[in-house]
């Protein structure tokens, strides 16, 4: 059964963050808050954990549309091809924030994602998640937790999330109530920015 851990966003406890990072490094799956909906994630470098998430989501790993949560823009070049000034300016304006940007991937992508030409990148405005990624030292692969039904409380109330997911994951973080609106997804891999999904983030950044 998963561990349920309370972390305060305004001042995340270092010991609690270290605990989460240990679970991730050991190949565990963690549900955590973002600046939009709660996310399900694992360490990008752990193949077994990636397979587990794909299985939970009912998708083949090489077909899965997972995003990467980065701590800031400085480690983008680890996984993304060189981007032009206009694209960088959009990212700079928007992040951290409730956006997922689709960017052209490079050859450093983990082997599970080698077939992909693009990757989704997130830098959420949430101290808990950013501190986890910072201490982990590499991105988390993330996907939002969705419900089969339309009862919104599941995705916003950490206790209900725990009830539902406790036997599927290794840790659920209670970071307070989540939002029930997903991130705005913008494809920056082509010549012009293309809005794939309008969510929480404003389009004024384009």
């Amino acid at each position: 059964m998963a561990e349920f851990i309370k972390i305060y966003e305004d001042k995340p406890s270092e010991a609690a963050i270290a605990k989460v990072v240990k679970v991730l490094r050991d190949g565990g799956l963690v549900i955590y808050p973002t600046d939009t909906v709660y996310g399900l994630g694992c360490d990008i470098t752990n193949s077994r954990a990636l397979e587990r998430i794909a299985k939970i989501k009912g998708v083949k790993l090489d077909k899965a549309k997972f995003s990467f949560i980065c701590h800031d823009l400085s480690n983008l070049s680890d996984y993304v091809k060189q981007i032009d000034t206009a694209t960088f300016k959009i990212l700079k304006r928007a992040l951290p924030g409730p956006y997922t940007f689709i960017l052209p991937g490079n050859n450093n992508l983990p082997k599970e994602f080698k077939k992909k030409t693009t990757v989704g990148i997130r830098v959420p405005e949430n101290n808990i998640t950013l501190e986890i990624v910072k201490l982990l030292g590499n991105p988390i692969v993330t996907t939002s937790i969705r419900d089969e039904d339309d009862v919104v409380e599941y995705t916003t109330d950490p206790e209900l999330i725990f009830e539902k997911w406790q036997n599927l994951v290794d840790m659920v973080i209670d970071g307070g109530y989540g939002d029930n609106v997903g991130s705005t997804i913008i494809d920056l891999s082509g010549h012009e920015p293309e809005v794939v999904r309008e969510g929480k983030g404003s389009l004024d950044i384009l």
Side-chain angles (χ1 to χ4, degrees):
M1 194 171 99
E3 185 175 351
F4 191 56
I5 183 170
K6 174 83 184 166
I7 305 180
Y8 295 94
E9 199 210 337
D10 51 353
K11 205 169 186 297
S13 140
E14 284 181 24
I17 296 293
K19 216 171 184 181
V20 179
V21 168
K22 183 176 184 329
V23 169
L24 289 167
R25 285 194 179 132
D26 290 346
L29 306 189
V30 175
I31 290 178
Y32 47 86
T34 70
D35 49 0
T36 57
V37 297
Y38 266 76
L40 163 66
C42 70
D43 183 338
I44 194 173
T45 64
N46 192 297
S47 302
R48 195 167 48 89
L50 290 168
E51 291 284 0
R52 278 179 68 196
I53 289 190
K55 193 175 174 192
I56 286 172
K57 295 291 277 192
V59 292
K60 284 206 169 354
L61 188 50
D62 58 357
K63 301 270 193 307
K65 290 185 175 170
F66 297 151
S67 299
F68 300 170
I69 288 190
C70 300
H71 174 251
D72 55 27
L73 291 178
S74 65
N75 49 4
L76 268 195
S77 55
D78 293 350
Y79 300 108
V80 170
K81 281 182 183 163
Q82 196 164 1
I83 48 182
D84 60 34
T85 312
T87 302
F88 189 75
K89 279 182 176 166
I90 292 173
L91 297 175
K92 206 72 181 132
R93 274 198 294 276
L95 300 174
Y99 298 90
T100 301
F101 288 106
I102 296 170
L103 296 161
N106 66 20
N107 295 331
N108 296 336
L109 287 172
K111 64 179 187 300
E112 291 80 8
F113 301 105
K114 284 287 189 215
K115 292 180 184 168
K116 291 197 171 303
T117 52
T118 58
V119 290
I121 297 290
R122 285 269 278 127
V123 183
E125 196 169 2
N126 181 289
N127 287 334
I128 297 168
T129 311
L130 293 181
E131 287 301 318
I132 291 166
V133 178
K134 187 178 177 184
L135 186 62
L136 183 63
N138 52 257
I140 294 173
V141 164
T142 188
T143 178
S144 56
I145 56 171
R146 294 199 185 288
D147 299 309
E148 298 74 47
D149 56 28
D150 292 327
V151 181
V152 161
E153 279 82 4
Y154 276 132
T155 41
T156 59
D157 182 337
E159 292 193 6
L160 290 179
I161 292 169
F162 179 70
E163 251 173 60
K164 187 178 176 185
W165 288 81
Q166 59 187 329
N167 296 317
L168 288 171
V169 301
D170 303 283
M171 183 177 268
V172 175
I173 298 171
D174 175 359
Y177 274 83
D179 207 325
N180 60 350
V181 180
S183 62
T184 291
I185 303 175
I186 300 172
D187 189 341
L188 296 177
S189 64
H191 295 299
E192 291 291 323
E194 183 191 333
V195 179
V196 178
R197 178 183 78 192
E198 208 168 328
K200 192 176 172 185
S202 155
L203 297 178
D204 294 350
I205 54 137
L206 296 175

